């Protein structure tokens, strides 16, 4: 009889322990809590555009890497000539700016020149100078020389110029005028032509 009483007490203790264990689990679950944080990340926009017309009109995209056509510069020949002769210098303006969707200012840097077909590539040199948007691209133009080349296939001394985004959303940035000056050398071949494509890269900067 005493042995049965002892067994009942052991079972009772075990049963009590099981009940106590369940009680602890319920108590711990009641103290759980959570916090959640969410973020939305919107990328800005960035686009460089150029114009051969003026500082305010005629802008379009000319990125040949994206399938666009390079802008065709219009060089003004000397008033008394229909073609270049040794010693002649011709000039052409090209305006660049950040478009109205751009959210960051940028740095503009010459990124090379590629000469095309023609026999006078080595007989023409050039200088590209960044001047004021309203300045005249000609012999008297002054500003920051951003690139030069002893031939149409060379580029030395590339220097960067800043590009400022629009002052307000939806407004294009301040234009920079690039003044191209091409000089005919003494070895200019009669009747031969030459072409060149200049590349300029704009890299966004922190606001």
């Amino acid at each position: 009889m005493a042995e049965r009483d002892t067994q009942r007490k052991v079972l009772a203790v075990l049963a009590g322990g099981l009940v106590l264990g369940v009680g602890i689990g319920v108590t711990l679950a009641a103290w759980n809590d959570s916090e959640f944080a969410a973020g939305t990340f919107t990328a800005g926009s960035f686009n460089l555009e150029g114009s051969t017309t003026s500082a305010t009109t005629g802008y379009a995209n000319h990125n040949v890497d994206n399938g666009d056509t390079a802008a065709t510069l219009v060089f003004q020949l000397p008033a008394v000539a229909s073609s270049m002769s040794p010693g002649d210098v011709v000039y052409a303006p090209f305006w660049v700016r950040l478009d109205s969707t751009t959210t960051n200012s940028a740095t503009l840097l010459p990124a090379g020149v590629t000469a095309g077909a023609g026999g006078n590539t080595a007989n023409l040199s050039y200088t590209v100078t960044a001047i004021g948007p309203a300045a005249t691209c000609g012999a008297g133009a002054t500003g920051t020389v951003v690139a030069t080349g002893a031939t149409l296939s060379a580029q030395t001394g590339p220097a960067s110029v800043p590009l400022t985004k629009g002052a307000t959303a939806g407004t294009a940035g301040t234009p920079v005028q690039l003044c191209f000056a091409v000089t005919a050398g003494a070895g200019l071949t009669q009747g031969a032509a030459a072409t060149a494509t200049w590349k300029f890269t704009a890299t966004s900067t922190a606001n």
Side-chain angles (χ1 to χ4, degrees):
M1 188 70 172
E3 183 177 347
R4 287 182 181 176
D5 290 341
T6 301
Q7 186 175 5
R8 288 175 182 171
K9 289 179 182 179
V10 171
L11 292 175
V13 171
L14 290 175
L18 292 173
V19 172
L20 180 60
V22 172
I24 292 173
V26 171
T27 302
L28 290 175
W31 287 99
N32 285 343
D33 193 12
S34 301
E35 291 290 332
F36 296 87
T40 300
F41 305 93
T42 303
S45 298
F46 187 79
N47 187 51
L48 179 71
E49 58 184 5
S51 170
T52 60
T53 305
S54 74
T56 56
T57 62
Y59 283 93
N61 292 320
H62 303 99
N63 187 350
V64 297
D65 293 336
N66 290 339
D68 301 324
T69 301
T72 300
L73 300 178
V74 181
F75 286 91
Q76 298 299 319
L77 291 166
V80 296
S82 59
S83 58
M84 295 184 73
S85 299
D88 284 343
V89 184
V90 292
Y91 301 89
F94 185 56
W95 290 266
V96 293
R97 71 182 184 184
L98 299 173
D99 75 2
S100 60
T101 68
T102 299
T103 55
N104 289 67
S105 293
T107 298
L108 182 75
L109 185 70
V113 57
T114 303
N120 271 320
T121 296
N123 301 315
L124 296 166
S125 60
Y126 72 89
T127 300
V128 183
T129 306
I131 63 178
T136 299
C137 178
T142 58
T144 301
V145 176
V146 297
T148 61
T151 69
L152 290 184
S153 58
Q155 186 173 96
T156 58
S160 63
V161 291
L163 290 174
T164 305
K165 68 174 183 176
T168 58
T171 302
T174 303
V176 169
Q177 183 181 179
L178 300 175
C179 180
F180 291 75
V182 176
T183 302
L188 193 70
T189 302
Q190 294 186 34
T195 61
T197 301
W198 287 270
K199 181 178 181 179
F200 294 85
T201 300
T203 303
S204 64
T205 58
N207 290 325

